[in-house]
Amino acid sequence: MSTPLIEIKNMDVAYQKQLVLSNISLSVFEHDFIGIIGPNGGGKTSLVKAILGLLKPVGGSVKHSMNSWEIGYLPQGNQVDENFPITVKEVIASGLEHGLKMRLGTTKSRQHKVEKALETVGLKALHSRPIGELSGGEFQRTMLARAIISSPRLLILDEPDTHVDNQFETELYALLKELNKTITILLVSHDIGIISPYIKTIACVNRDLHYHASNEISEEQLKVYNCPIEIIAHGPVPHRVIKEHIHK
Amino acid sequence: MDLLHLFTYGFFQHAVVAALLMSVTCGIIGTYIVSRRMVFISGGITHASFGGVGIGYYLGFPPLAGAATVAVLAALITENLTRRKVMRNDSIIAILWSLGMAIGIIFVYLTPGYAPNLMSYLFGSIITVTSTDLWLMLALALTVTTVFTLLYRPILYVSFDEQFARIRGIPVMFINYLLIILVALTIVLSIRTAGIILVLSVLTIPQNISNLFTNRFSHIMIGSVVFGFFASLLGLVLSYYLDIPSGATIIFTLVVLYLVARLIKVVIFGR
Ligand SMILES: Nc1ncnc2c1ncn2[C@@H]1O[C@H](COP(=O)(O)OP(=O)(O)OP(=O)(O)O)[C@@H](O)[C@H]1O
Ligand SMILES: [Mg+2]
């Protein structure tokens, strides 16, 4: 097999001595599409931040075979000031920046890429809107456009379906599936039912990590993995994949 | 005396140039401060710098040099302790804020001889700026304008989303420290004109006036320079004719301008 894009070995992550991820190992290869699932507070976001180099592991190692700006990233909501005076177009263009560049004005190719990204997420009409005047879903689409505009080698999305409506959710996952032909994707979600048809493999994260080399998983398996999340059936999803959700 | 005649006086020309330079620097830096919600930090740096004024008086070097040293130190300490999460950010600021004032008062008290003109440091004195002050203000205005022109995008991106900027390989720490030093220097040079008590308003009111009409970082910057200069000029003229303190009159004019702008917005845009 080729060398992995990301290689995590026996990694520990902690906040002020409080261990939140313990002895984690995971290799991410080109063309992977891994669904990262787990309960609230299980450590999914911490794992993503360690991969991005935003959190320094207290033990073990994370090796990259690429630069951090070759990663597209959509953070989990509420990490930025939503009233900051910046427009949709400016936010999306920031996904193209890398390193410290002193530049005036904008180039044709830059403008073209921004327009294409705006089209992809369906925000053409809102390009000059300040982000403070967007709905939650429109904001999330803006952040998605910022993540994919640079055609990254690896795309990491932390709960991208927050706030977006059903129609865009479907479009979003279809888009990811299309992108996955060329791009490696890590997708954080706590709804395995929705992402199952699109992903290739699953990583269950709850302080430790269990890698599951299939996009299908049973409740029994989740129990074995110590990953207490509910499996919810969505519409006409094949039931051999997803057990029916029963209200207690 | 007619208005045009006023502009032929040397002291008034100095004051007008000072108002222009202050409006440019504070318009740009103030937009950064307001957008990043750093108003309280700026208040802390402002008041801490009074410690430097006192030490300057006591040791016999220019109080403004003392203020600049202490302001930059206070800025760096706040930035560093906040990053390392040693203490809550607002607590650090409160401590530096009052510690600076305390040190300032103690040293001014200990200084033998005449009681220095404290009022001009507390409330500013744009009418008495020297040509040295003006050269310093010009240098800072040019520096700030150049930095914000060349590094506009990195500054905007780091301010909006630091973590994302770091992933994009933008030197976040460099931008943060460069900007906090510029904030400190802006504050110190504005103390000369607006005073410790009033400087925060020249860094925030023009921005809030602009913000009524635009929500873009670059437009707020430009608007703040224009509104700031207009209000300073009007304030200067008013203070001359009414024979009242210039710094306070400028602030008063800014607040009235804000209220008028609000009213215009309600009447024209209906909200
Ligand atoms: N900045 C922080 N300081 C201290 N503890 C933190 C911090 N961020 C997260 N934690 C803790 O680390 C653990 C893992 O958090 P993390 O955000 O990685 O979970 P998650 O799986 O992404 O959860 P969610 O589904 O709610 O997004 C939680 O117990 C959380 O309380
Ligand atoms: Mg999370």
Side-chain angles (χ1 to χ4, degrees):
Chain A
M1 223 182 235
S2 56
T3 52
L5 286 179
I6 306 280
E7 190 174 19
I8 304 172
K9 271 191 186 153
N10 309 108
M11 180 179 72
D12 298 327
V13 171
Y15 294 101
Q16 294 104 35
K17 303 263 153 58
Q18 173 81 29
L19 206 61
V20 297
L21 290 173
S22 157
N23 199 20
I24 293 222
S25 297
L26 177 71
S27 293
V28 180
F29 293 92
E30 204 104 42
H31 303 301
D32 274 359
F33 193 159
I34 307 178
I36 300 175
I37 59 168
N40 286 142
K44 304 179 293 295
T45 298
S46 306
L47 171 65
V48 160
K49 287 193 173 171
I51 291 174
L52 290 163
L54 297 173
L55 264 182
K56 231 178 134 61
V58 292
S61 66
V62 185
K63 271 196 226 140
H64 299 81
S65 59
M66 59 184 168
N67 290 312
S68 72
W69 58 76
E70 292 177 275
I71 305 177
Y73 173 47
L74 183 143
Q76 192 169 8
N78 305 330
Q79 297 215 357
V80 298
D81 177 359
E82 288 176 20
N83 283 313
F84 191 89
I86 190 169
T87 62
V88 168
K89 215 163 47 178
E90 288 172 315
V91 170
I92 295 177
S94 74
L96 286 172
E97 198 80 4
H98 69 86
L100 190 65
K101 299 267 163 58
M102 301 190 196
R103 249 181 326 204
L104 307 167
T106 180
T107 61
K108 271 257 147 58
S109 87
R110 199 178 162 93
Q111 247 170 331
H112 181 70
K113 280 179 186 162
V114 172
E115 263 157 41
K116 245 185 73 188
L118 278 165
E119 203 164 335
T120 307
V121 298
L123 286 181
K124 262 188 132 169
L126 302 181
H127 62 90
S128 288
R129 217 20 114 78
I131 55 153
E133 295 169 20
L134 296 178
S135 73
E138 289 161 352
F139 180 75
Q140 196 67 356
R141 292 175 193 220
T142 306
M143 300 306 261
L144 175 71
R146 180 181 75 164
I148 61 174
I149 189 172
S150 61
S151 313
R153 279 176 74 186
L154 171 64
L155 183 58
I156 302 181
L157 308 156
D158 199 346
E159 311 217 7
D161 50 7
T162 320
H163 296 305
V164 302
D165 55 33
N166 283 335
Q167 194 206 322
F168 187 68
E169 189 173 84
T170 314
E171 282 174 35
L172 165 70
Y173 290 122
L175 171 69
L176 293 184
K177 192 151 190 150
E178 179 66 28
L179 287 173
N180 183 231
K181 287 176 184 159
T182 51
I183 292 175
T184 311
I185 302 179
L186 296 184
L187 171 62
V188 175
S189 175
H190 47 234
D191 195 340
I192 178 68
I194 285 188
I195 65 171
S196 180
Y198 305 97
I199 59 178
K200 290 175 181 163
T201 57
I202 299 171
C204 301
V205 177
N206 188 18
R207 199 157 191 267
D208 43 25
L209 185 150
H210 292 276
Y211 187 69
H212 185 76
S214 152
N215 67 333
E216 305 178 1
I217 196 161
S218 66
E219 268 180 3
E220 290 69 36
Q221 197 67 51
L222 284 169
K223 270 204 196 91
V224 175
Y225 288 159
N226 179 32
C227 201
I229 60 164
E230 283 177 291
I231 295 180
I232 305 165
H234 293 275
V237 185
H239 282 244
R240 68 186 172 78
V241 180
I242 311 298
K243 250 179 74 183
E244 191 91 51
H245 173 60
I246 301 155
H247 285 282
K248 296 186 187 92
Chain B
M1 191 198 311
D2 67 279
L3 194 57
L4 284 177
H5 200 188
L6 188 55
F7 282 86
T8 62
Y9 286 117
F11 80 92
F12 199 78
Q13 289 169 353
H14 273 192
V16 170
V17 175
L20 177 64
L21 295 174
M22 176 177 80
S23 304
V24 170
T25 309
C26 291
I28 296 172
I29 290 292
T31 302
Y32 177 76
I33 290 173
V34 169
S35 305
R36 285 200 93 169
R37 302 181 189 269
M38 290 169 63
V39 175
F40 190 51
I41 297 181
S42 306
I45 295 172
T46 309
H47 288 78
S49 73
F50 187 63
V53 172
I55 296 172
Y57 269 123
Y58 184 72
L59 298 178
F61 60 82
L64 225 45
T69 313
V70 173
V72 170
L73 269 178
L76 295 179
I77 290 173
T78 311
E79 180 76 18
N80 186 271
L81 292 187
T82 307
R83 298 255 151 230
R84 293 195 294 129
K85 299 208 169 109
V86 177
M87 254 176 104
R88 294 174 67 104
N89 168 275
D90 48 354
S91 304
I92 302 166
I93 294 166
I95 290 170
L96 289 174
W97 182 307
S98 36
L99 180 66
M101 290 303 276
I103 291 173
I105 282 295
I106 289 172
F107 278 99
V108 166
Y109 179 81
L110 288 177
T111 307
Y114 73 105
N117 185 10
L118 280 184
M119 285 294 271
S120 79
Y121 282 98
L122 293 180
F123 295 99
S125 171
I126 198 168
I127 291 297
T128 61
V129 286
T130 63
S131 39
T132 315
D133 294 330
L134 288 181
W135 282 116
L136 287 172
M137 290 174 76
L138 177 66
L140 184 64
L142 288 178
T143 309
V144 166
T145 312
T146 310
V147 165
F148 272 82
T149 308
L150 292 181
L151 297 179
Y152 180 74
R153 279 194 202 130
I155 291 171
L156 181 69
Y157 301 158
V158 168
S159 305
F160 172 60
D161 188 346
E162 229 180 83
Q163 298 202 327
F164 191 83
R166 186 167 305 150
I167 295 166
R168 301 305 309 168
I170 300 172
V172 171
M173 284 301 128
F174 169 73
I175 299 278
N176 281 336
Y177 278 103
L178 174 70
L179 266 293
I180 197 78
I181 289 171
L182 289 180
V183 166
L185 294 177
T186 300
I187 286 171
V188 170
L189 286 190
S190 309
I191 286 176
R192 190 68 190 79
T193 49
I196 287 175
I197 313 275
L198 304 179
V199 65
L200 266 192
S201 39
V202 276
L203 289 165
T204 52
I205 303 175
Q207 285 69 21
N208 279 284
I209 297 173
S210 309
N211 203 194
L212 289 173
F213 303 105
T214 173
N215 242 324
R216 289 182 72 156
F217 195 85
S218 56
H219 295 179
I220 296 177
M221 265 183 357
I222 295 165
S224 303
V225 173
V226 174
F227 287 125
F229 185 52
F230 176 72
S232 319
L233 215 53
L234 194 60
L236 262 177
V237 172
L238 283 177
S239 80
Y240 182 81
Y241 283 110
L242 301 176
D243 194 22
I244 48 179
S246 56
T249 313
I250 291 173
I251 306 310
F252 198 78
T253 314
L254 272 172
V255 174
V256 171
L257 191 62
Y258 176 81
L259 294 176
V260 171
R262 255 225 110 107
L263 197 69
I264 290 174
K265 195 183 173 187
V266 170
V267 170
I268 294 182
F269 301 100
R271 64 187 167 108

